[in-house]
Amino acid sequence: MAQPLAISMGEPAGIGPDLVLQLFAQRQQEALPPFCVFGAPDFLRARAARLGLDITVEETTPAEASDVFKRALPVVPVEGLVPDQPGQISPLSGQAVIRAIEQAVAAVLRGECRGLVTAPIHKAALYDAGFRHPGHTEFLAELCAAGGTPKLPVMMLAHGPLRAVPVTIHVPIKDVPGLLTKDLIVETASAVYHDLQNRFGIAEPRIGVAGLNPHAGEGGAIGREDMEIVGPAVAEMRVQGIDAVGPFPADTLFYPPYWRQYDAVIAMYHDQALIPIKTVAFEDAVNVTLGLPIVRTSPDHGTAFDLAGTGKASPRSFLAAIRLAHSMTEASKP
Amino acid sequence: MAQPLAISMGEPAGIGPDLVLQLFAQRQQEALPPFCVFGAPDFLRARAARLGLDITVEETTPAEASDVFKRALPVVPVEGLVPDQPGQISPLSGQAVIRAIEQAVAAVLRGECRGLVTAPIHKAALYDAGFRHPGHTEFLAELCAAGGTPKLPVMMLAHGPLRAVPVTIHVPIKDVPGLLTKDLIVETASAVYHDLQNRFGIAEPRIGVAGLNPHAGEGGAIGREDMEIVGPAVAEMRVQGIDAVGPFPADTLFYPPYWRQYDAVIAMYHDQALIPIKTVAFEDAVNVTLGLPIVRTSPDHGTAFDLAGTGKASPRSFLAAIRLAHSMTEASKP
């Protein structure tokens, strides 16, 4: 039996559990690969009933999950009380949300599960439970490092062959130029290149790099960073054997005939990477974390408290996240 | 006879003249409104011959141009020697390029032509002729001010109902936060609102405003400018009677179901406005200057020296610029 994907249940007040339940109900039509949910079985039963979904929740282990998946939603139970209160964060559930992530990561690291799809969390709801990480991804990087120094986790937004990676992420625009260094750009591109080869099965990845400034700085007329930082970073990538070109003006790089020349585009900041991908694929884009020892994807949306428990949230991004995690594990080299 | 549009011939080493000639040749299939070119007749004859286009160039005046348009390309001649050297800038042609713009603007201001479409220029080619303006648009604003203080010209990129306006334009990213003031944002939105009403025939324009920082600053967690500058600017717009909302995260604002709620989106910097529009409409987007006393559009591309004289440049953006200038003059209130 193939190993299942691990899904962490995410914030119970949000839409994550709803989408997992909906997708489980559609597993045959959608030909989904087997997965198991790390979470609270009673809570998932209550949420399924609330959504009017006739789903049997079966407590199990990763080893049995792929078999269980045919008849019931396999849930690897985590300790903790989780109330079914859509839209209302509860101090009760924080511990279970964190344990679900920890145990799912551990199962993937042990090889019991093939990869991880995380449902969205709500950071503020986890502070009482001791969550002190800048975000979900940094927490995963720490868990994967098992006490050592975490590697730089790299965020990629993917929609089919359109893959965009911001070098800086959740920082103010005013801080972006100061944070961009040649080393950071090269390290990011290097993680992307490595994972395109080893997780996406692309033998010779081509990387396009966007400039920081309008028109990629126009030879220094519009800022010097593209000449002094981004350009030298691209040169260094090439020295390291990475087939990278740029910096290109970001506004033309995402025109389909241009981005299609690259397996990934490295952008310098959040909106530069996310605007093009959300403009064309808002509901279907997947958030992928590169640079980890495990495959990890997540839907590209938040907890959407206003839609939780209603059944009205779109499962398309979560569906794409499951499919991509599966195909990344299929393509992964041992 | 309806007044013609004025087209300034632009840089003769570039593709502007090629596209004007190609579009004139297609004027019947494309049902183009009459236009006259301000430029050098002999040069245009030579370029037409080079492109293998059987076009008669007739020297005329704006008053006769719409009649001439049926049988020949109406050219309002400007003084100066203009060699036909695709891809090679020449110090000889600078004066003629500048005169073409000056005389075209004057003709529109006098009401002899209904609006202006400018072919792309190449600034460096004009320095010897004394061109000292930051760009084409600023030069036009000065000409329209006729010696007075120019109004703030506002750049809009348009593709059908998708209209994006950057508040700051050709400046380095590091300078953007410091340049953004409440007044500048409000002044920009005010020009957009005025022209949507008076040039686009939209009675009650709705304006969406993008935040500067990722997630529009997430309540101050990712930069304070959206709370302290952009938010108050939107509030001030509303006080002034402008139906504006925001700031919204820029990466979701350009998803079609969201931008379609607005007649224009105000973005804080160049790439934030241009990435989404070029991603979806690279070849068809039009550059529109708002805030001028005349209608002015231009294709959203440069001189493309490598394609000049080959006939291979796409005329789609130039075609869209002509159509939009015409429809803006039709919608304009007296």
Side-chain angles (χ1 to χ4, degrees):
Chain A
M1 207 61 212
Q3 291 135 309
L5 288 168
I7 296 182
S8 55
M9 77 173 168
E11 171 57 45
I15 57 172
D18 307 31
L19 300 178
V20 174
L21 290 160
Q22 287 173 41
L23 289 171
F24 176 76
Q26 298 166 23
R27 68 195 181 285
Q28 285 188 305
Q29 304 95 292
E30 297 290 353
L32 287 183
F35 57 77
C36 56
V37 182
F38 287 73
D42 284 341
F43 158 70
L44 289 163
R45 286 186 188 104
R47 182 61 58 88
R50 180 188 290 276
L51 294 169
L53 293 170
D54 181 20
I55 290 174
T56 304
V57 168
E58 187 170 328
E59 300 183 30
T60 184
T61 62
E64 302 295 326
S66 294
D67 201 36
V68 169
F69 190 76
K70 296 171 198 160
R71 61 178 183 269
L73 177 66
V75 175
V76 182
V78 300
E79 251 183 90
L81 197 60
V82 179
D84 174 31
Q85 295 174 342
Q88 301 201 359
I89 62 176
S90 158
L92 294 174
S93 54
Q95 285 295 347
V97 171
I98 293 171
R99 282 195 193 105
I101 297 168
E102 288 170 344
Q103 293 177 25
V105 168
V108 181
L109 285 171
R110 283 194 303 265
E112 297 167 7
C113 293
R114 56 194 300 146
L116 173 64
V117 182
T118 59
I121 61 171
H122 185 83
K123 272 190 290 176
L126 303 179
Y127 290 152
D128 282 348
F131 190 83
R132 292 289 176 274
H133 312 275
H136 207 158
T137 298
E138 291 82 355
F139 180 41
L140 295 168
E142 280 199 32
L143 291 174
C144 288
T149 306
K151 279 205 199 169
L152 175 76
V154 171
M155 178 169 109
M156 170 185 274
L157 275 287
H159 177 244
L162 172 58
R163 304 181 187 97
V165 177
V167 172
T168 62
I169 311 182
H170 293 124
V171 296
I173 279 286
K174 76 172 163 46
D175 296 341
V176 167
L179 288 168
L180 284 179
T181 61
K182 180 178 142 184
D183 284 354
L184 178 64
I185 300 169
V186 172
E187 196 182 347
T188 302
S190 182
V192 172
Y193 188 79
H194 177 273
D195 279 13
L196 286 175
Q197 288 189 318
N198 293 289
R199 304 256 190 232
F200 287 83
I202 299 170
E204 297 181 11
R206 298 151 305 164
I207 308 273
V209 180
L212 170 66
N213 290 309
H215 306 183
E218 217 174 86
I222 312 179
R224 302 193 59 80
E225 295 90 345
D226 291 298
M227 285 168 62
E228 295 175 356
I229 299 169
V230 189
V234 175
E236 173 64 25
M237 293 173 207
R238 299 183 66 87
V239 168
Q240 296 187 10
I242 297 173
D243 181 5
V245 275
F248 296 115
D251 60 340
T252 55
L253 188 50
F254 288 102
Y255 177 53
Y258 295 153
W259 70 251
R260 284 186 185 281
Q261 298 175 32
Y262 308 103
D263 297 299
V265 171
I266 311 277
M268 294 301 118
Y269 53 89
H270 182 276
D271 281 0
Q272 204 180 42
L274 270 68
I275 286 176
I277 207 152
K278 291 206 173 181
T279 295
V280 301
F282 188 81
E283 291 195 69
D284 297 291
V286 178
N287 186 332
V288 186
T289 309
L290 307 179
L292 296 180
I294 63 173
V295 165
R296 184 257 178 149
T297 68
S298 71
D300 180 32
H301 56 65
T303 47
F305 285 157
D306 55 322
L307 295 176
T310 68
K312 290 183 183 164
S314 165
R316 285 168 51 180
S317 179
F318 212 126
L319 174 65
I322 291 172
R323 288 201 204 288
L324 182 57
H326 185 75
S327 76
M328 284 174 69
T329 59
E330 294 271 296
S332 286
K333 293 184 181 165
Chain B
M1 206 63 211
Q3 291 136 309
L5 288 168
I7 297 182
S8 55
M9 76 172 170
E11 171 57 45
I15 58 172
D18 307 30
L19 301 178
V20 174
L21 290 160
Q22 287 172 40
L23 288 171
F24 176 75
Q26 299 167 21
R27 68 194 181 286
Q28 285 189 304
Q29 304 95 292
E30 298 290 354
L32 288 183
F35 57 76
C36 56
V37 181
F38 287 73
D42 284 341
F43 157 70
L44 289 163
R45 287 187 187 103
R47 183 62 57 88
R50 181 188 290 276
L51 293 169
L53 293 170
D54 180 20
I55 289 174
T56 305
V57 169
E58 187 170 329
E59 301 182 30
T60 186
T61 62
E64 302 295 325
S66 293
D67 201 37
V68 169
F69 190 75
K70 295 171 197 161
R71 61 176 182 271
L73 177 65
V75 175
V76 182
V78 300
E79 253 184 86
L81 196 62
V82 180
D84 173 31
Q85 294 175 340
Q88 300 202 358
I89 61 176
S90 158
L92 294 175
S93 54
Q95 284 295 347
V97 171
I98 292 172
R99 282 194 194 106
I101 297 168
E102 289 171 343
Q103 294 176 25
V105 168
V108 182
L109 285 171
R110 283 194 303 264
E112 297 167 8
C113 292
R114 57 195 300 147
L116 173 64
V117 183
T118 59
I121 61 172
H122 186 82
K123 272 189 289 176
L126 303 180
Y127 291 152
D128 282 348
F131 190 84
R132 292 289 175 274
H133 312 275
H136 207 156
T137 298
E138 290 82 356
F139 180 40
L140 295 168
E142 280 199 33
L143 292 174
C144 288
T149 307
K151 280 204 199 169
L152 175 76
V154 171
M155 178 169 110
M156 170 186 274
L157 275 287
H159 178 244
L162 173 57
R163 304 182 188 95
V165 176
V167 172
T168 63
I169 310 182
H170 294 124
V171 295
I173 279 285
K174 76 173 164 44
D175 296 340
V176 168
L179 289 168
L180 284 180
T181 61
K182 181 178 140 183
D183 284 353
L184 178 65
I185 300 169
V186 172
E187 197 182 346
T188 302
S190 182
V192 172
Y193 189 79
H194 177 273
D195 280 13
L196 287 175
Q197 288 189 319
N198 294 289
R199 304 257 191 230
F200 287 83
I202 299 169
E204 297 180 11
R206 298 152 304 165
I207 308 275
V209 180
L212 170 67
N213 291 309
H215 307 183
E218 218 173 87
I222 312 180
R224 304 193 58 80
E225 294 90 344
D226 291 298
M227 285 167 62
E228 294 175 358
I229 299 170
V230 189
V234 175
E236 174 63 25
M237 292 172 208
R238 299 183 66 87
V239 167
Q240 296 188 9
I242 297 172
D243 182 5
V245 276
F248 295 115
D251 60 340
T252 55
L253 187 49
F254 287 101
Y255 177 53
Y258 295 153
W259 70 251
R260 283 186 185 281
Q261 298 175 32
Y262 308 103
D263 296 298
V265 171
I266 311 277
M268 293 302 117
Y269 54 88
H270 182 277
D271 281 0
Q272 204 180 42
L274 270 69
I275 286 175
I277 206 151
K278 292 207 173 181
T279 297
V280 300
F282 187 81
E283 291 196 69
D284 297 292
V286 178
N287 186 331
V288 186
T289 310
L290 307 180
L292 296 180
I294 63 173
V295 164
R296 183 258 179 148
T297 68
S298 70
D300 180 32
H301 55 66
T303 47
F305 284 157
D306 54 323
L307 295 175
T310 67
K312 290 184 182 162
S314 164
R316 285 167 51 179
S317 179
F318 212 126
L319 175 65
I322 291 173
R323 288 200 204 289
L324 183 57
H326 185 75
S327 76
M328 285 173 69
T329 60
E330 294 270 298
S332 286
K333 293 186 182 164

